[in-house]
Amino acid sequence: MEDNWIETIKGGDCLPEKQLKRLCERVKEILLEESNVQPVAAPANICGDIHGQFYDLLQLFRIGGEIPQARYVFMGDYVDRGYHSLETLQLLLCLKAKYPSHIVLLRGNHESRGVNMMYGFYDECLKKYGNSNAWKYCNEIFDHLGIAAVVEGDVFCIHGGLSPDV
């Protein structure tokens, strides 16, 4: 992963398709090594649905602390409904690639092909990239996301609606 990718995305730009593919391949390697129920050390910020609200995600980091100074559990639904699903997901994936022990990405019901095709992510990928490759790369990542996290063996974190593909 290139160091400037995070700054590119925070600036409001998506990664070029070739870089997105490399990022997804790197994150997939990390996710394959993780448990389906991921243990997390406290303290950790536990966050619900982001739904493409990129600027809200940036505000969340300003309030809760930037990674790696703070630890986060995101409980799914990164895409759809908002206008910046790609930027939101790409920033989270870059942070996962750079600081894997400081961020847990769980799978929600929008991390499945049928749902995110219907609710806007597919169309956003087509609009911003001109083809469906980005959508395919991202959904491959979604297939490897864990379904739960447990903070300090005490706090159970899971999305309210799991994918029908799980």
Side-chain angles (χ1 to χ4, degrees):
M1 186 188 97
E2 306 287 332
D3 286 335
N4 64 338
W5 290 2
I6 292 173
E7 293 311 312
T8 297
I9 298 163
K10 282 186 173 181
D13 295 321
C14 289
L15 296 175
E17 184 180 323
K18 192 177 201 178
Q19 292 175 349
L20 174 60
K21 183 178 182 179
R22 282 182 38 213
L23 174 62
C24 288
E25 289 168 351
R26 173 68 187 116
V27 172
K28 183 177 166 183
E29 291 172 10
I30 294 167
L31 293 172
L32 286 170
E33 297 299 317
E34 290 186 349
S35 169
N36 212 17
V37 178
Q38 191 65 20
V40 178
N45 297 299
I46 302 169
C47 307
D49 304 15
I50 301 292
H51 279 302
Q53 300 296 323
F54 179 67
Y55 296 100
D56 291 347
L57 176 63
L58 295 178
Q59 179 69 7
L60 192 111
F61 288 136
R62 282 191 287 275
I63 292 168
E66 294 284 339
I67 296 172
Q69 287 76 32
R71 191 173 290 114
Y72 285 85
V73 175
F74 288 93
M75 297 192 296
D77 284 9
Y78 312 108
V79 301
D80 294 330
R81 298 191 176 130
Y83 294 110
H84 305 286
S85 293
L86 279 162
E87 294 87 344
T88 299
L89 181 62
Q90 288 180 20
L91 178 57
L92 293 171
L93 293 178
C94 280
L95 292 169
K96 182 67 177 177
K98 189 167 184 172
Y99 308 107
S101 65
H102 287 79
I103 180 171
V104 173
L105 301 173
L106 301 179
R107 187 173 187 170
N109 60 309
H110 283 259
E111 282 72 55
S112 65
R113 286 163 183 80
V115 174
N116 66 49
M117 181 175 264
M118 182 181 302
Y119 287 96
F121 185 53
Y122 180 80
D123 292 334
E124 182 180 334
C125 291
L126 287 179
K127 181 180 177 184
K128 292 181 179 175
Y129 284 97
N131 62 54
S132 63
N133 291 340
W135 181 79
K136 291 174 187 173
Y137 304 148
C138 294
N139 274 283
E140 231 180 271
I141 289 296
F142 297 158
D143 292 341
H144 294 87
L145 294 175
I147 60 168
V150 180
V151 181
E152 289 295 326
D154 194 41
V155 179
F156 183 64
C157 305
I158 192 165
H159 186 79
L162 288 177
S163 164
D165 298 330
V166 172

